[in-house]
Amino acid sequence: MNAIQLKQMTSAKGFIAALDQSGGSTPKALKQYGVNEDAWTTEEEMFQLVHKMRTRVIKAPAFKGDRIIASILFENTMNRKIDDKYTADYLWEEKQVVPILKIDKGLADLENGVQVMKPMPELDDLLKQAQKRHIFGTKMRSVIKEANEEGIKKIVDQQFEIAKRIIAYDLVPIIEPEVDIHAPEKTKCEELLKKYIKEDLKALGKDQKVMFKLTIPNMDNFYADLMDDTHVVRVVALSGGYSQDEACEKLTHNHGMIASFSRALLQDLSSSQSDADFNKMLKDSIEKIYQASIK
């Protein structure tokens, strides 16, 4: 583990840029950027287009470590290059942004009010590749839609079970059990989620470290006690479908929680914009999210 990167992840001011839309969500991300599905005919052409979009974001002058402490990448992005450097190396060496890798393979069908992660049979190979590409940590997402205690416990247990495998590769896992912002009993979901997170944190070894990426809670500062746990490097917030304004406003009520936004970060950016307009809009978004994260 890179000690300098760990220190940045633990205490630096700023937020995490989530640039990890995977195969299934890539068409939606490109459409938001103004590139429709008729712009490509093969999956490889689609991935080339989304890498071009992400490269434009990463190379923008405002995208650097004084505001963005880390960025989450899709596996396909990790294995591509920016200016003859693999993306993770470019992020750290040119921008001082810590590289993190999305590792999950999507969600299983809804059962007991939740969607656990699909099986990851090639996880060990992927983690070895992450080490080779100088990745600091990983991210994996599950979704909670109902306040079903059995389902929520299953999600947390699965996340921690895989987190321990990730830690064995000297990587820091981001555990992301997202609570759907439209869940009818969102507050109850969050109470159950924290209950089982705290149970599984107690079972970690002394030197095992994790991070959490959580939906902004209904109760202000609800996750403050998680931040005090010695196993926890950081607690970050996902935007969860909130607009940039909504997400930033809600985040300001949760001291110590920083943003890890995707859609809210890239909101209103377009392939048709001039570089000057694109860079200004991205700079404004970065500054707004940064200010909400440091409150």
Side-chain angles (χ1 to χ4, degrees), residues 217-223 250 253-254:
N218 283 355
M219 184 182 299
D220 294 350
N221 296 311
F222 183 67
Y223 294 120
K250 290 178 181 295
H253 298 287
N254 290 273

Side-chain angles (χ1 to χ4, degrees), residues 102 104 106-108 113-118 120 139-145 151-152 154-160 162 174-180 193 213-215 238:
K102 167 189 161 67
D104 68 82
L107 302 169
V114 305
Q115 290 179 276
V116 299
M117 294 178 286
K118 289 180 178 178
M120 292 179 263
K139 192 216 78 163
M140 48 190 176
R141 174 177 173 261
S142 315
V143 174
I144 298 167
K145 292 182 177 290
I152 292 173
K154 186 174 182 180
I155 269 197
V156 175
D157 287 348
Q158 183 195 39
Q159 285 271 357
F160 272 85
I162 297 172
I174 297 179
I175 292 171
E176 183 185 5
E178 174 181 350
V179 176
D180 191 318
L193 175 60
K213 181 170 178 175
L214 304 171
T215 307
L238 56 96

Side-chain angles (χ1 to χ4, degrees), residues 9-22:
M9 292 303 302
T10 303
S11 58
K13 291 184 177 181
F15 68 96
I16 297 175
L19 304 177
D20 60 329
Q21 297 92 348
S22 56

Side-chain angles (χ1 to χ4, degrees), residues 27 31 40 65 87 123 137 164 166 182 195 198 214 251 278:
K31 187 174 183 179
W40 67 86
T87 304
L123 177 61
K164 290 174 185 176
I166 294 162
H182 304 295
K195 170 186 172 182
K198 292 177 84 169
L214 304 171
L251 184 59
F278 179 93

Side-chain angles (χ1 to χ4, degrees), residues 117-147:
M117 294 178 286
K118 289 180 178 178
M120 292 179 263
E122 300 174 355
L123 177 61
D124 290 293
D125 289 339
L126 180 57
L127 295 176
K128 290 174 186 175
Q129 182 75 350
Q131 288 181 317
K132 182 180 177 182
R133 294 281 182 256
H134 306 138
I135 295 291
F136 169 81
T138 65
K139 192 216 78 163
M140 48 190 176
R141 174 177 173 261
S142 315
V143 174
I144 298 167
K145 292 182 177 290
E146 300 172 15

Side-chain angles (χ1 to χ4, degrees), residues 210-271:
V210 298
M211 296 177 61
F212 292 101
K213 181 170 178 175
L214 304 171
T215 307
I216 302 171
N218 283 355
M219 184 182 299
D220 294 350
N221 296 311
F222 183 67
Y223 294 120
D225 50 346
L226 295 184
M227 299 176 199
D228 293 333
D229 191 290
T230 56
H231 299 99
V232 179
V233 174
R234 206 100 186 218
V235 178
V236 306
L238 56 96
S239 50
Y242 291 124
S243 69
Q244 185 184 101
D245 286 344
E246 289 177 304
C248 287
E249 197 280 329
K250 290 178 181 295
L251 184 59
T252 60
H253 298 287
N254 290 273
H255 182 72
M257 199 175 194
I258 67 171
S260 176
F261 293 170
S262 175
R263 281 168 293 181
L265 170 64
L266 305 179
Q267 181 177 301
D268 298 327
L269 295 177
S270 171
S271 60

